[in-house]
Amino acid sequence: MTAPASLKIALAQLNPTVGDLQGNAERAANAHARAKELGADVVVFSELFLNGYPPEDLVLKPAFLQATKDKLEWLAEKCADGPAVLIGTIWTQGAKVYNAVALLDGGIVQATTLKVDLPNYGVFDEKRVFATGPLPGPLNVRGVRIGVPICEDIWGAEVVETLAETGAEILISPNGSPFDWPKPDNRMNVAVARVIESGLPLVYLNQVGGQDELVFDGASFVLNADRSLAVQLPAWREAIVLTEWTRANGAWHCRRSEIAKLPEGPAAAYQACVLGLKDYVTKNGFPGVVLGLSGGINSALVAAIAVDALGADRVHAVMLPSKFTSDDSLEDAAACAKALSIRYDKISIEPAVAGLTWGLKDLFAGTNADITEENLQSRVRGTILMAVSNKFGGMVVTTGNKSEMSVGYATLYGDMNGGFNPIKDLYKTEVYALSRWRNAHVPDGASGPAGIVIPDRILTKAPTAELRANQTDQDSLPPYEELDDILSCLVEKEMPVADVIARGHAVETVKKVERLLYLAEYKRRQAAPGVKISARNFGRDRRYPITNKFREDVGQAEQSTVPVSKSAASSKSA
């Protein structure tokens, strides 16, 4: 067979749903039909596209494996006429189960390549469910030798080196690569390294969409052998793009075409929050969401995210005032709801709080009012929101940020109630940054309005839980700029306490934050899932024991530490 002088590769950057074999297969078939219209020779899908990524312990379910095999054969027959297909799928050989890419052509499964490097860190635990594949050779796709390193296979040199040595002409890497702040740059650096080492052009195809805590940004691209960027697909949305290749002097070159501009910084994080919430709500079949709108920055940002994700008609805000709620908070919550054009109801918690207080009066006789009475207010609010959810079907979204969840500034069965939290992995300072960004921009594809959606006073007033008179967050916590720096050092960077102190923070402040971070682990285990934004989120990335007596010894400096009582954790503690 004469080697072709040209090749057209369609990149299908799509949003699969885990477990929806029929839906994913139909999406693939529809994309195949579109690729055929575009004149493609081959259409490429992302890692485990047929199953949805990550499938986690579904891989251990025999019925799921059989259903995958049946659906792959159905798809091969469906796509018999037109371009060849490279699609990510679970593949079973005897007693072993692999993360694979199947080549479909002529109505059958022509060949497979199996993933070699199974990630087992951070959010990944593929070694738990998949077998390691052998070092692969290239696949013959319409007369072209295509090397198919799967996701993690390009993060080391060995697999690509083997493919190059065994005659690969083009590298196509299907990925299920979740977003975090540094990931886009890291991906590009890794891809460039593999291109330099192999001397081959590389197609990097990523999925897009939300899956529980993970959100995938897409942002697929093509690098030529000279490391030039030939194609850049957009982030945060689906796309089917045709890439055109020519062979000259024995080497393949992709013609430069679409170069999408990728959002960065707060813009990228905001898009991640929107897509994560949208897919969680939509894929799980909720009609909409309900949230407590307090007049504070957290709930205002979540309300804006929810409207951008779902549309105003699917967002229901409830103001739940107490005797401690200020006029400013009432006005700000109403103004935010009006700016977003969402349903807004106001329900006083005073009757319910009074009833609980009366019911406990004999048991609590002779004691002083303290954090217990404050937490009653939060738990009444949580109960009301759950009642609204039960009655009308909307999912409660919770609104705590990473700063608060780090140190336990939250109430179990109160403001922690909810099914999902889009800002769970954003520190408080990042919440402010995203709020300011949203007031100045409307994200691509957003359903919300332009203009100021978070009133200025919400951005400028001192944050407060309003569970007692004249309360502010800084009664219990350091200023958020200081707290967030300490937390970033302890959580994302795992810096020794002594090194955090050396950055200029007071010993007693760092030790207090460290202690609260450890103490709050039991709360975080019971918290709603939320969008992963950072390189190290709570849950999948950072897994600390709840029962944990370890504390770092910082030597003589620790002698100046001010003892911290457990109640000092916050006025929103459990």
Side-chain angles (χ1 to χ4, degrees), residues 270-295:
Y270 191 90
Q271 290 276 30
C273 294
V274 168
L275 185 54
L277 177 62
K278 179 179 181 178
D279 276 0
Y280 191 87
V281 171
T282 302
K283 291 180 179 181
N284 286 295
F286 291 103
V289 298
V290 59
L291 74 153
L293 193 62
S294 68

Side-chain angles (χ1 to χ4, degrees), residues 235-246:
W236 309 115
R237 64 179 176 87
E238 294 184 308
I240 299 175
V241 173
L242 186 71
T243 64
E244 300 184 45
W245 299 70
T246 54

Side-chain angles (χ1 to χ4, degrees), residues 414-462:
D415 60 337
M416 288 177 64
N417 278 6
F420 197 74
N421 181 355
I423 65 168
K424 181 181 180 179
D425 201 28
L426 292 173
Y427 287 117
K428 188 78 167 189
T429 49
E430 294 167 346
V431 167
Y432 279 102
L434 264 65
S435 297
R436 294 188 177 96
W437 180 88
R438 178 58 183 89
N439 273 349
H441 303 85
V442 180
D444 290 342
S447 298
I452 303 298
V453 295
I454 300 173
D456 184 66
R457 187 163 61 188
I458 292 178
L459 290 162
T460 57
K461 67 185 180 183

Side-chain angles (χ1 to χ4, degrees), residues 242-424:
L242 186 71
T243 64
E244 300 184 45
W245 299 70
T246 54
R247 187 204 301 265
N249 300 319
W252 286 95
H253 181 84
C254 181
R255 184 176 67 82
R256 182 179 171 88
S257 59
E258 176 182 353
I259 304 292
K261 181 174 174 56
L262 302 182
E264 298 178 338
Y270 191 90
Q271 290 276 30
C273 294
V274 168
L275 185 54
L277 177 62
K278 179 179 181 178
D279 276 0
Y280 191 87
V281 171
T282 302
K283 291 180 179 181
N284 286 295
F286 291 103
V289 298
V290 59
L291 74 153
L293 193 62
S294 68
I297 187 69
N298 290 345
S299 62
L301 177 60
V302 170
I305 289 169
V307 171
D308 284 335
L310 305 169
D313 60 334
R314 297 177 69 190
V315 180
H316 182 185
V318 184
M319 167 47 113
L320 298 158
S322 75
K323 62 185 178 182
F324 301 116
T325 302
S326 68
D327 289 341
D328 284 357
S329 292
L330 291 167
E331 293 169 4
D332 292 341
C336 183
K338 182 178 180 181
L340 291 167
S341 299
I342 56 178
R343 178 177 174 180
Y344 176 71
D345 291 304
K346 186 167 64 174
I347 304 171
S348 172
I349 68 169
E350 284 302 316
V353 171
L356 287 169
T357 303
W358 185 87
L360 293 165
K361 64 181 175 60
D362 293 339
L363 184 62
F364 288 1
T367 66
N368 295 321
D370 57 15
I371 197 171
T372 306
E373 286 73 16
E374 295 179 16
N375 285 339
L376 276 179
Q377 300 168 58
S378 181
R379 292 187 172 118
V380 166
R381 290 186 171 110
T383 299
I384 292 173
L385 290 173
M386 290 307 300
V388 174
S389 173
N390 290 161
K391 182 62 70 176
F392 301 110
M395 182 194 73
V396 177
V397 285
T398 186
T399 61
N401 59 64
K402 191 172 187 176
S403 306
E404 295 165 354
M405 293 308 303
S406 294
V407 297
Y409 195 70
T411 304
L412 281 170
Y413 326 120
D415 60 337
M416 288 177 64
N417 278 6
F420 197 74
N421 181 355
I423 65 168
K424 181 181 180 179

Side-chain angles (χ1 to χ4, degrees), residues 6-123:
S6 65
L7 188 70
K8 294 181 179 180
I9 304 173
L11 309 183
Q13 177 178 288
L14 301 178
N15 185 348
T17 298
V18 168
D20 186 10
L21 295 169
Q22 181 62 38
N24 295 338
E26 289 175 354
R27 293 179 73 80
N30 291 337
H32 177 267
R34 175 60 180 154
K36 181 180 177 181
E37 292 175 358
L38 295 172
D41 298 299
V42 59
V43 56
V44 184
F45 297 89
S46 55
E47 180 180 15
L48 292 180
F49 181 87
L50 184 60
N51 309 94
Y53 185 84
E56 301 189 74
D57 280 9
L58 281 173
V59 179
L60 305 177
K61 195 171 185 65
F64 187 65
L65 301 181
Q66 182 60 50
T68 297
K69 179 177 182 294
D70 295 342
K71 200 55 62 180
L72 185 65
E73 292 173 354
W74 175 89
L75 182 63
E77 293 177 5
K78 187 78 171 177
C79 299
D81 181 27
V85 174
L86 287 172
I87 188 166
T89 182
I90 293 171
W91 184 258
T92 304
Q93 288 183 356
K96 292 184 177 181
V97 181
Y98 297 94
N99 181 334
V101 168
L103 170 61
L104 314 181
D105 203 2
I108 62 172
V109 179
Q110 295 282 357
T112 60
T113 189
L114 309 178
K115 190 172 183 178
V116 178
D117 288 334
L118 301 175
N120 204 51
Y121 57 86
V123 302

Side-chain angles (χ1 to χ4, degrees), residues 168-171 191-203 222-230 245-246 248-255:
E169 300 172 78
I170 298 172
L171 300 172
V192 167
R194 299 294 86 81
V195 169
I196 291 173
E197 293 162 0
S198 66
L200 298 175
L202 184 146
V203 176
V222 177
L223 293 176
N224 275 312
D226 61 2
R227 293 168 285 165
S228 63
L229 182 65
W245 299 70
T246 54
N249 300 319
W252 286 95
H253 181 84
C254 181
R255 184 176 67 82

Side-chain angles (χ1 to χ4, degrees), residues 172-193:
I172 297 179
S173 180
N175 281 259
S177 178
F179 171 81
D180 60 47
W181 288 104
K183 185 66 71 64
D185 288 342
N186 291 345
R187 288 185 197 131
M188 185 61 71
N189 291 338
V190 166
V192 167

